Amino acid sequence: MTAQEAKIAIYGAGAMGTILGALLTKGGLEKVELITRNQAHVEGMKKDGATIVCEGDNTEINVKVNALYPNEMGGNYDVIFLMTKQRHNAEIVSMLQEKLSADGVICTTQNGLPEPSVAEILGNARIYGAATSYGATFIGGGRVALTSKIEAMSMEVGGYKNDGKALLLLKEILSYVQNATGNAEFVKTTDNLLGARWSKLAINAAFSGLSVVTGMTFGEVAKKRKTRKLALGVLRECMDVAKASGVTLAKMQGHDMEKLLGGKTPFKRFIAYMVLPIAMKKHKKLVSGMLKDVQSGRKCEIDYIDGLVVQEGKRVGVETPLCEKIVEIVHGIENGLYEIDYKNADFFAL
């Protein structure tokens, strides 16, 4: 099967999903469906197409797309990109199971380590994962914002405890984003999906978590003295847990995170402190999707990000006090005990 022949669903076409689906369509794929329950967003896309406001590149991309509600889905999908929140995986994957073709696969792009919960329902053989490195915020009515530079966007795809036979098809499909954007480095395949997941998890635990705590963008977190030190501390906690778990971290945008940011000596920590704002430059306008959730009065996925690091740390005997504090403060914000404020950085001990 070729990418042009494949029937593709983007299930969970919020900010990230709309960008992926629109760029696949713009790149030349015709059988791509963007699926979401958000009525205003679906109707906006049906009427005016999907609009991507590229904040990092000061441009806009508008694409006529095939937008659907879940109850409008057909069946026999060859690839479903799962881009919803993890909290509802059991219900959603059970439903999607009936929508797949005989050889169809699900590729989850969710944050954290989502593959086990999907595989519980569908089995390992049909599960793939993608560590997705680009930021987006939801505007609504068919419009989303891409907060990373186009050249910094990437997806690293791997199989979950299987033979990876669908990887070539997934890579071919995602190469259509390269056609749409000119970003030749957008898609890569990996035989170290867990390492790619943990590298992305470390970034999310540090920057998405602190974005909720402080209300700041990733660039602001990396720039201010207190949060820069906190972000580096969280990154090191994640690296220590991953190492104790036997995970080899994948490179992020060609860089070895452990060598660049995980040093233990005073000199290496100083270098990491100076490098961090530069490393985050292409993603400086990112705001955590979890922050948007909390600001909208919804529960966020902190338990699947920093909370997961805490859980895994306990399993392998690694202390994670910074991640624990982030989880505590974020739940406090959700429950009205704290305000979202930079002053929350004072609650941490470094």
Side-chain angles (χ1 to χ4, degrees):
M1 176 180 294
T2 67
Q4 285 288 352
E5 294 169 331
K7 185 178 180 181
I8 302 161
I10 308 294
Y11 194 88
M16 300 282 286
T18 298
I19 289 170
L20 179 60
L23 292 179
L24 289 176
T25 304
K26 179 177 172 60
L29 291 182
E30 298 177 358
K31 297 181 181 179
V32 180
E33 297 177 358
L34 283 69
I35 300 154
T36 176
R37 289 184 168 86
N38 188 309
Q39 182 177 358
H41 194 50
V42 171
E43 295 305 319
M45 289 191 287
K46 286 183 174 183
K47 179 176 182 289
D48 299 315
T51 298
I52 305 171
V53 180
C54 305
E55 294 183 351
D57 297 274
N58 296 314
T59 188
E60 288 192 6
I61 299 171
N62 179 264
V63 186
K64 188 67 176 176
V65 296
N66 188 11
L68 304 175
Y69 298 104
N71 62 7
E72 294 179 316
M73 292 178 71
N76 294 316
Y77 292 96
D78 299 297
V79 176
I80 297 177
F81 289 98
L82 180 59
M83 305 189 75
T84 55
K85 305 295 185 184
Q86 276 198 65
R87 294 193 304 275
H88 307 297
N89 273 4
E91 171 191 346
I92 290 171
V93 177
S94 295
M95 181 273 291
L96 293 178
Q97 184 176 14
E98 306 301 319
K99 305 290 185 181
L100 286 169
S101 66
D103 296 320
V105 300
I106 286 182
C107 180
T108 172
T109 70
Q110 296 163 315
N111 289 321
L113 304 176
E115 287 80 16
S117 66
V118 182
E120 278 184 13
I121 298 165
L122 206 58
N124 296 344
R126 304 173 76 182
I127 305 303
Y128 291 76
T132 305
S133 297
Y134 62 88
T137 56
F138 188 73
I139 300 172
R143 295 173 65 83
V144 296
L146 173 63
T147 49
S148 298
K149 284 184 172 292
I150 290 173
E151 66 184 72
M153 297 175 68
S154 68
M155 289 181 73
E156 191 164 7
V157 188
Y160 179 70
K161 297 181 180 181
N162 56 42
D163 60 11
K165 67 179 182 180
L167 277 178
L168 287 178
L169 175 60
L170 289 168
K171 184 177 182 181
E172 184 188 357
I173 288 170
L174 292 171
S175 72
Y176 280 78
V177 172
Q178 298 178 182
N179 296 346
T181 64
N183 176 0
E185 301 298 318
F186 177 74
V187 58
K188 294 178 181 176
T189 59
T190 181
D191 57 4
N192 182 22
L193 177 60
L194 194 57
R197 281 290 187 200
W198 268 97
S199 291
K200 176 70 184 301
L201 176 60
I203 296 296
N204 276 332
F207 287 92
S208 291
L210 289 172
S211 179
V212 182
V213 168
T214 64
M216 298 193 303
T217 66
F218 286 19
E220 290 167 338
V221 168
K223 183 177 180 180
K224 288 185 175 288
R225 180 181 62 84
K226 288 182 181 178
T227 48
R228 194 190 311 190
K229 288 184 176 180
L230 286 173
L232 286 168
V234 173
L235 287 170
R236 293 187 187 106
E237 287 185 357
C238 294
M239 292 174 194
D240 289 344
V241 174
K243 184 176 182 180
S245 301
V247 175
T248 300
L249 293 180
K251 291 184 177 180
M252 292 288 286
Q253 297 183 353
H255 297 292
D256 186 320
M257 286 179 58
E258 290 185 276
K259 287 184 178 179
L260 189 65
L261 302 172
K264 304 293 187 182
T265 67
F267 177 72
K268 288 184 176 179
R269 290 193 174 207
F270 173 75
I271 294 298
Y273 181 82
M274 299 304 294
V275 163
L276 192 63
I278 300 170
M280 296 306 298
K281 186 175 181 180
K282 292 180 180 179
H283 303 284
K284 66 181 181 180
K285 293 187 178 181
L286 255 72
V287 174
S288 171
M290 293 192 294
L291 174 61
K292 295 292 186 180
D293 286 339
V294 172
Q295 289 173 330
S296 299
R298 298 187 296 268
K299 298 291 185 181
C300 72
E301 289 195 301
I302 196 66
D303 291 331
Y304 296 93
I305 308 297
D306 294 80
L308 178 61
V309 179
V310 174
Q311 175 185 318
E312 290 297 301
K314 289 179 179 178
R315 184 179 66 83
V316 297
V318 175
E319 294 184 353
T320 56
L322 297 179
C323 286
E324 287 184 26
K325 181 59 72 172
I326 288 174
V327 173
E328 176 193 325
I329 293 174
V330 170
H331 283 317
I333 291 170
E334 289 177 330
N335 295 320
L337 301 177
Y338 304 116
E339 297 290 332
I340 299 170
D341 197 294
Y342 175 69
K343 292 179 180 178
N344 290 333
D346 294 334
F347 288 123
F348 294 83
L350 286 173

